[in-house]
Amino acid sequence: SRREGQEARSGSGVITMANTFHFDLVSPEKIAFSGEVEQVDIPGVDGDLGVMAGHAPLVATIRPGIMTVTVGGKHEKIIVLGGLAEISDKGLTVLADTATSLQDLDREAFAGKISEMEEGLKEEEGDALDRAIERLDHFKVIQQYIVSTAMH
């Protein structure tokens, strides 16, 4: 029996050299990132998406969540609040409504945004209410992640 946290490894599963691809993260405020990366994990509307070199061309809608960018074996967490991801032979481009690295996030402003969204639910009904609740849920998942990482 294996100890918890220990993974089984097969000889064929070892990657000795990481393939990289070009990644641009663009938000209305700025180009948040532009460079070669090993992997980008995107919170997609239809589920999370891991992008690596050689990925098939694709366009995906991004939901509010945490995007993980892997560069040189290090993982950088970036909060995105929706947008669009395009994978082409040139690489990956993410057009994000907002993109903020976890350490740069104004936690109080983010908590305030959640409170505003909760108040706004009272004015919604039908499909608009369903969409507002779904968006609020995504923000709360981000908030939970922020709180749990702040404790470590």
Side-chain angles (χ1 to χ4, degrees):
S1 78
R2 282 181 272 135
R3 286 192 306 243
E4 202 171 304
Q6 188 179 11
E7 293 176 31
R9 297 199 183 275
S10 67
S12 62
V14 177
I15 299 169
T16 53
M17 191 177 132
N19 288 329
T20 62
F21 62 97
H22 190 77
F23 170 54
D24 287 321
L25 173 58
V26 183
S27 71
E29 305 91 46
K30 62 185 184 286
I31 294 176
F33 185 95
S34 182
E36 295 296 307
V37 298
E38 290 146 33
Q39 182 169 341
V40 179
D41 297 313
I42 299 168
V45 167
D46 297 323
D48 291 356
L49 181 67
V51 181
M52 298 174 81
H55 197 289
L58 177 76
V59 174
T61 305
I62 299 172
R63 66 175 159 73
I66 309 281
M67 188 166 62
T68 305
V69 180
T70 306
V71 184
K74 292 184 171 52
H75 306 292
E76 185 179 344
K77 306 286 185 183
I78 299 171
I79 296 166
V80 289
L81 302 181
L84 206 60
E86 181 187 12
I87 305 163
S88 71
D89 56 357
K90 294 182 184 76
L92 169 65
T93 301
V94 169
L95 304 172
D97 297 344
T98 302
T100 309
S101 68
L102 205 52
Q103 61 265 32
D104 294 342
L105 180 72
D106 181 337
R107 288 170 164 74
E108 282 183 35
F110 194 78
K113 175 79 174 152
I114 289 175
S115 296
E116 276 177 38
M117 291 170 77
E118 287 172 333
E119 281 298 308
L121 290 180
K122 297 172 187 164
E123 298 157 23
E124 303 289 349
E125 52 187 61
D127 287 348
L129 177 60
D130 292 344
R131 284 191 302 277
I133 289 170
E134 185 179 357
R135 187 161 172 81
L136 177 61
D137 286 346
H138 292 314
F139 273 66
K140 285 185 172 180
V141 167
I142 295 169
Q143 178 82 348
Q144 194 173 1
Y145 180 86
I146 292 164
V147 170
S148 70
T149 56
M151 293 177 175
H152 297 295

